[in-house]
Amino acid sequence: FRVWTVKGQKKLQEFLADLGIPLSQCKQKFSCMDIETKANVQQWVEDLGGKYGLEDISRSSFCTQFGFCNKTCAEDMPLCLT
């Protein structure tokens, strides 16, 4: 979604409404959401993603962190190199 446009924001709000996530939960950081919502949101997005053109939106990956340095995710590295 192009969330920097009004149309994109409306489409995102429509998508979140279709997922059934309450507006109060949508405005929070993911880490602060209810445990039940966090547990189910990935499955909900995969189920309804096709309706919005979001196929293959989740992937398995890993992140690494050395000491107090920034986290580095495996999928981010190829993008940095290109």
Side-chain angles (χ1 to χ4, degrees):
F1 308 113
R2 296 179 181 166
V3 294
W4 57 90
T5 65
V6 175
K7 184 178 178 183
Q9 288 177 358
K10 287 183 180 182
K11 195 169 185 179
L12 177 62
Q13 289 175 353
E14 179 185 334
F15 177 66
L16 293 172
D18 280 350
L19 289 178
I21 301 174
L23 187 60
S24 62
Q25 294 292 313
C26 293
K27 292 184 177 184
Q28 296 181 8
K29 290 184 178 183
F30 185 76
S31 59
C32 298
M33 289 177 136
D34 290 339
I35 295 171
E36 294 174 10
T37 304
K38 287 194 301 187
N40 295 324
V41 75
Q42 182 178 2
Q43 186 62 40
W44 295 339
V45 170
E46 289 176 359
D47 292 344
L48 289 174
K51 180 179 176 183
Y52 293 90
L54 302 173
E55 288 85 17
D56 298 326
I57 193 166
S58 65
R59 300 174 188 209
S60 58
S61 184
F62 62 91
C63 294
T64 183
Q65 183 174 2
F66 296 105
F68 294 104
C69 298
N70 294 334
K71 281 186 180 179
T72 305
C73 292
E75 286 198 25
D76 293 341
M77 293 311 296
L79 294 174
C80 294
L81 299 174
T82 57

